[in-house]
Amino acid sequence: MESVVIPIEGLESEHSSLILEKMIRSRTGTPEVQVDFANQRVLATMADKNDTFKIIEAIRSLGYVVETEKHEFPVLEMSCAACAVNVGKAINSVDGILSARVNYANNSAMVEYMPDVSSPEQIRNAVRSAGYDLVLEEAAVAESAQENREKARFEKIRKKALGSLIFSIPVFVISMFFMPSHHSDKMQYSNLILWVLATPVVMWYGRDFFINAWKHARHGTANMDTLVAISTGTAYLVSVFNTLYPRFWTGRGLEGHAWFEASAVVITFILLGKMLEEKAKGKTSSAIRKLMGLQPTRVTLITGGVEKIVPLADVKQGDHILIRPGERIPVDGKLIAGQSYVDESMLTGEPLPSAKLPGGQVFAGTLNQNGSFTFTADKVGNHTLLAGIIRAVRDAQGSKAPVQNLVDRISAVFVPIVIGIAILAFAAWWIFGGEQGPVLGMLAFVTVLVIACPCALGLATPTAIMTGIGKAAEKGILIRDAESLESGRKVDTVVLDKTGTITEGNPSLTEIVWLDNNPEYKGILFSVESASDHPLARAIIKGLGPVEVVPVSDFENIVGFGVSCKANGHRYLAGSMQMMENFGVVLPQDLVTRSDEWASRGCSVSWFAEDKRILAVMAVSDTIKINSAQAVENMHKAGLEVHMLTGDNSKAAAYIAGKLGIRNWQSNVLPHQKSEYVRDLKQKGHTVAMAGDGINDSTALAEADVSIAMAHGSDIAMDVAKMTIISSDISKIPEALLVSKQTVRTIRQNLFWAFIYNVIGIPIAAGVLYPYFGFMLSPMLAGAAMALSSVSVVTNSLRLRYT
């Protein structure tokens, strides 16, 4: 059983504590929960520490605050998948840790913790106690330092690999082509030469394997370094013994073999494999590096009409910044002077530049083209759109696919099991192998340890996730986590909200018919619509122009229908025909006919009434996005079933659906009905993706298997969404789902080859083929296979960048 203490904020009384206690029990199924009002905390005992998340979600859903922090820390001294598992165990042993995702592919740990309970220093101490290290740095410094560390690590491995290769080539050549017979006197001299050549490889270039293996042994753990150290160390020491004391074996009627080539060449192959692996792993992080490289390091400020060049870190909100042709925009802001075209493809994936006029928005990382302009900095530092994208991509790349939990469990026991198999193989050959049993047993022992590769297993999932999510980001698609990728692969049905998703979401008032021209009514309509945040309300306000505003009271937003208020002793209604009918408003037949005509052209119709009397009817039109028709066609070609939902009238919905070739649509849909529609599709066996942009879409987004938000929409929609389209272009939806399919397929390929390699390779290395075919795998070939297994997995993941 696990115990956890969760500090909370907002408890006002003992009574509220008791209510919270009952609610946590009912929502999480955790019986042992106690809410401590005096100390503002929750104490819980649970079977699984992961249930802490459920408790925190329950607390937050009830309006209380649980403060957590999430940081990504670079991890040092990891050399294989087993290391990542060990680091994760060490971090999770610290009180207050909610989750720890250790990524071997980019040598980092994404940790979410409660700052009142634990601290980065405590996390680092736990990691150090396990034989590794954690780097505590500011995010910007950490990223730059991590890149420098990666370059230094690659250069260090490259030098070792090349140095080892220089000594190993003559070892290999002498062993393969110039070794005299075992009974020749020259045999001893050949072994002495091989000893001299192999010693620098084992003792110098391969020393880190032995140092790391010893560190892990002291902490009661094992990893790939353990396998390499035991196998090459055993081969080297046995070879030295047999070279110095050959009579030990000949006196017993046996031949003493020397395996200097096994120890030297195996280390060389592994170092070369590590070098190629590091190179390839670096490419999986290229998306993050590209995004980080988009911001300029220096900025031209305009202060009192004087230009001043300052570092990017010195820019503050409200500063005026000058941008010349060809310069990158450093922060988010609004134009105040000048005009230009800006290339935003690096953020949105859209190839055409966007025109920028005074009042227009510009974003950090985008590229100015042929004009100069001045803009005011609105969002700087970690608050820019680019910084948010980088955070989202980094979080997603560090996430774990569901299958990774199985891989972690296997990696945790992989090394001890392999050592056990190697010992069993040695014992079996010694007992049942006849005269050559000891020699073949030693060969099997070394080869099993050499060929076993936990690294391929550890790299299979994270490298594919990092590459796939990075590729999506370059296309202007933000994917929340690896689980979203897995869900995206299965989608067969896409549900689209109309306004702001299929259409531009910037409707305009095209016609208005007044039955009473009293100017006061226009002021009341303006006031009532001003209190609403609906796109139609904004269009009506803009279309009414300057009016004399009339104070209103008792404003009420009737979700899915419209709004109402009171003024001058009357109730005023603005909204749909359904709303008018619900309130008993009499609709003149000529206006109903007019409204049907507008709706048949795709317009949305809004009515305005005083008490039971219609005052006006309005037509509001919204332009279909230029890419929507092609996007729907692409979805159909991809085998996806497309549905459209809208709160608009049936004639307007039919018009839009007909234009786009959407056969499944529903009109007059209320927000809760959208989620019911999605739920019904799921109950029919469909895997549903829902795309929307508004607050009224959030419940349907949460209900969908894959939720897709348009970046120009509400923050709530984006918070719920598993995928976000930065350009708000629905043609990106089939691209996002394709990336999901390709990434999951690559993960499965990687895992298949990583598993099959070990399942086939280890028995062959143990010598199962020898009794039937006389074939015994050489440790050198085993070393080459082991090195190539990791490289092949990473290389397969990198193919995602070009598909």
Side-chain angles (χ1 to χ4, degrees):
M1 300 295 284
E2 298 280 349
S3 297
V4 65
V5 178
I6 304 172
I8 62 173
E9 297 175 19
L11 279 176
E12 297 176 350
S13 66
E14 289 282 3
H15 180 64
S16 62
S17 301
L18 292 172
I19 294 173
L20 177 59
E21 205 170 283
K22 289 179 182 177
M23 293 300 291
I24 292 173
R25 286 193 184 119
S26 65
R27 292 194 181 190
T28 66
T30 306
E32 296 186 44
V33 176
Q34 180 185 349
V35 178
D36 182 354
F37 169 68
N39 296 303
Q40 296 280 298
R41 62 183 185 174
V42 174
L43 299 93
T45 303
M46 63 208 80
D48 187 347
K49 190 175 181 179
N50 292 329
D51 289 342
T52 307
F53 269 125
K54 295 179 182 177
I55 295 176
I56 289 176
E57 286 174 5
I59 294 169
R60 286 173 170 167
S61 70
L62 295 167
Y64 299 101
V65 177
V66 179
E67 187 181 353
T68 64
E69 289 187 12
K70 183 185 282 188
H71 288 297
E72 184 179 44
F73 301 105
V75 182
L76 306 181
E77 313 298 335
M78 288 200 302
S79 61
C80 73
C83 297
V85 174
N86 293 336
V87 172
K89 285 181 180 177
I91 295 173
N92 278 312
S93 68
V94 179
D95 288 339
I97 299 297
L98 298 177
S99 70
R101 301 195 304 263
V102 183
N103 191 332
Y104 169 55
N106 66 356
N107 297 294
S108 69
M110 182 67 70
V111 184
E112 185 173 4
Y113 62 95
M114 291 181 284
D116 292 336
V117 181
S118 54
S119 67
E121 289 74 20
Q122 288 174 297
I123 298 168
R124 180 173 61 183
N125 291 339
V127 171
R128 284 178 172 174
S129 70
Y132 306 91
D133 203 358
L134 204 69
V135 181
L136 307 182
E137 294 168 335
E138 290 297 320
V141 177
E143 189 64 39
S144 174
Q146 177 74 342
E147 190 172 347
N148 292 335
R149 277 190 292 271
E150 287 175 7
K151 289 178 180 176
R153 184 166 58 246
F154 173 76
E155 191 59 29
K156 179 182 176 183
I157 293 173
R158 188 183 71 85
K159 287 178 179 178
K160 284 184 175 181
L162 293 178
S164 178
L165 188 64
I166 290 169
F167 285 95
S168 294
I169 289 174
V171 169
F172 178 78
V173 171
I174 293 170
S175 299
M176 292 295 103
F177 305 108
F178 297 103
M179 285 298 288
S181 69
H182 287 287
H183 302 289
S184 169
D185 291 335
K186 294 179 180 178
M187 180 72 180
Q188 282 298 102
Y189 296 108
S190 298
N191 283 344
L192 288 171
I193 293 169
L194 292 175
W195 184 9
V196 170
L197 291 170
T199 298
V201 177
V202 176
M203 299 295 186
W204 182 253
Y205 296 112
R207 68 188 185 279
D208 284 348
F209 294 119
F210 298 93
I211 293 169
N212 291 336
W214 173 244
K215 283 181 181 177
H216 285 90
R218 287 172 54 201
H219 292 95
T221 59
N223 69 345
M224 190 204 75
D225 292 328
T226 308
L227 299 179
V228 176
I230 293 174
S231 58
T232 57
T234 301
Y236 179 80
L237 291 174
V238 169
S239 300
V240 170
F241 179 84
N242 291 347
T243 299
L244 293 177
Y245 306 104
R247 295 183 184 278
F248 178 85
W249 296 104
T250 55
R252 292 167 171 78
L254 299 171
E255 292 180 0
H257 289 261
W259 289 291
F260 287 117
E261 77 282 0
S263 57
V265 176
V266 164
I267 285 175
T268 300
F269 275 140
I270 292 171
L271 288 172
L272 287 170
K274 280 281 180 188
M275 181 182 76
L276 295 173
E277 181 187 311
E278 286 294 327
K279 187 76 172 175
K281 278 165 59 180
K283 291 180 181 177
T284 62
S285 302
S286 62
I288 286 283
R289 294 200 178 97
K290 280 182 186 175
L291 289 169
M292 294 199 68
L294 293 177
Q295 283 184 296
T297 56
R298 305 189 77 74
V299 179
T300 304
L301 290 187
I302 304 292
T303 308
V306 179
E307 294 182 16
K308 182 182 178 183
I309 297 176
V310 301
L312 175 61
D314 291 352
V315 176
K316 299 184 294 294
Q317 192 174 7
D319 284 346
H320 290 180
I321 299 169
L322 174 65
I323 301 293
R324 296 186 173 90
E327 291 184 345
R328 287 203 179 272
I329 294 162
V331 296
D332 295 356
K334 284 186 180 177
L335 264 70
I336 55 174
Q339 60 185 42
S340 184
Y341 282 88
V342 175
D343 179 4
E344 298 179 336
S345 61
M346 59 289 299
L347 297 185
T348 65
E350 295 298 319
L352 296 177
S354 176
K356 300 296 178 182
L357 300 171
Q361 279 219 307
V362 291
F363 301 100
T366 54
L367 181 65
N368 183 34
Q369 294 199 330
N370 55 3
S372 295
F373 59 84
T374 304
F375 75 97
T376 301
D378 286 342
K379 295 180 180 179
V380 301
N382 289 327
H383 303 289
T384 64
L385 173 63
L386 178 62
I389 292 171
I390 291 170
R391 274 195 307 276
V393 173
R394 185 184 284 119
D395 285 355
Q397 287 187 333
S399 65
K400 282 187 178 182
V403 73
Q404 186 64 29
N405 294 322
L406 172 63
V407 174
D408 286 347
R409 288 198 294 272
I410 293 171
S411 297
V413 297
F414 185 87
V415 174
I417 287 174
V418 168
I419 293 172
I421 292 171
I423 293 170
L424 283 173
F426 175 75
W429 278 109
W430 186 286
I431 297 168
F432 304 110
E435 285 187 8
Q436 293 299 311
V439 175
L440 294 174
M442 184 58 66
L443 187 65
F445 177 80
V446 171
T447 309
V448 167
L449 294 177
V450 168
I451 203 169
C453 185
C455 294
L457 282 173
L459 291 168
T461 301
T463 53
I465 289 170
M466 290 173 69
T467 308
I469 286 174
K471 178 185 176 181
E474 290 173 2
K475 290 175 173 285
I477 304 160
L478 297 184
I479 298 174
R480 172 167 287 188
D481 52 32
E483 196 171 341
S484 303
L485 280 172
E486 179 69 35
S487 302
R489 178 189 67 86
K490 303 171 186 174
V491 167
D492 58 24
T493 303
V494 177
V495 179
L496 303 171
D497 175 57
K498 180 179 79 72
T499 305
T501 304
I502 290 174
T503 64
E504 293 289 353
N506 295 312
S508 58
L509 180 64
T510 52
E511 290 188 60
I512 182 168
V513 176
W514 286 97
L515 296 188
D516 191 322
N517 288 319
N518 185 340
E520 186 180 39
Y521 290 140
K522 188 181 281 191
I524 294 171
L525 176 61
F526 187 95
S527 297
V528 69
E529 297 288 12
S530 296
S532 172
D533 62 353
H534 196 279
L536 296 186
R538 292 195 295 268
I540 292 168
I541 293 165
K542 189 176 179 181
L544 287 173
V547 297
E548 186 175 336
V549 179
V550 177
V552 297
S553 63
D554 295 344
F555 174 83
E556 184 182 0
N557 181 21
I558 304 168
V559 178
F561 292 100
V563 291
S564 74
C565 69
K566 286 185 178 178
N568 303 328
H570 295 281
R571 173 169 292 281
Y572 292 90
L573 308 169
S576 66
M577 182 185 291
Q578 181 68 52
M579 180 183 182
M580 300 300 128
E581 291 173 350
N582 291 347
F583 278 86
V585 179
V586 178
L587 302 176
Q589 187 56 46
D590 60 328
L591 291 188
V592 172
T593 303
R594 178 75 68 93
S595 106
D596 288 345
E597 180 192 336
W598 287 338
S600 67
R601 301 202 308 262
C603 294
S604 300
V605 180
S606 184
W607 300 77
F608 179 48
E610 178 189 62
D611 297 325
K612 307 288 184 182
R613 181 171 69 102
I614 285 292
L615 298 176
V617 62
M618 296 152 279
V620 178
S621 64
D622 192 3
T623 308
I624 297 174
K625 289 178 182 176
I626 192 168
N627 293 329
S628 289
Q630 186 61 51
V632 171
E633 185 181 336
N634 290 344
M635 288 184 221
H636 284 145
K637 285 180 179 177
L640 298 168
E641 191 176 290
V642 181
H643 296 243
M644 182 185 78
L645 299 180
T646 177
D648 219 335
N649 62 76
S650 60
K651 288 187 171 62
Y655 175 82
I656 298 291
K659 280 275 189 182
L660 300 180
I662 298 175
R663 293 181 291 274
N664 306 290
W665 55 271
Q666 193 162 319
S667 60
N668 299 306
V669 182
L670 300 176
H672 73 276
Q673 292 173 327
K674 289 183 181 181
S675 60
E676 288 171 3
Y677 190 90
V678 171
R679 192 180 304 119
D680 287 343
L681 287 172
K682 289 169 66 178
Q683 288 172 352
K684 291 174 183 175
H686 293 286
T687 301
V688 182
M690 168 76 192
D693 73 327
I695 293 173
N696 62 344
D697 300 322
S698 58
T699 53
L701 288 169
E703 181 66 41
D705 297 292
V706 177
S707 43
I708 303 172
M710 304 293 115
H712 73 249
S714 73
D715 289 341
I716 292 176
M718 285 188 282
D719 286 344
V720 171
K722 292 184 177 180
M723 297 182 183
T724 300
I725 310 295
I726 299 171
S727 64
S728 299
D729 177 3
I730 62 170
S731 66
K732 298 289 181 183
I733 293 174
E735 291 184 30
L737 300 180
L738 179 61
V739 168
S740 295
K741 289 179 181 177
Q742 290 172 337
T743 304
V744 173
R745 183 169 63 241
T746 302
I747 289 171
R748 291 184 172 184
Q749 289 170 351
N750 287 349
L751 287 172
F752 172 78
W753 288 114
F755 276 113
I756 210 73
Y757 162 81
N758 284 292
V759 168
I760 294 175
I762 291 175
I764 291 174
V768 296
L769 297 181
Y770 188 81
Y772 307 101
F773 304 104
F775 174 75
M776 199 75 180
L777 187 64
S778 160
M780 287 189 293
L781 289 176
M786 184 266 206
L788 288 173
S789 65
S790 296
V791 176
S792 63
V793 162
V794 181
T795 305
N796 189 47
S797 295
L798 289 174
R799 287 192 311 111
L800 281 168
R801 297 169 66 191
Y802 310 108
T803 55

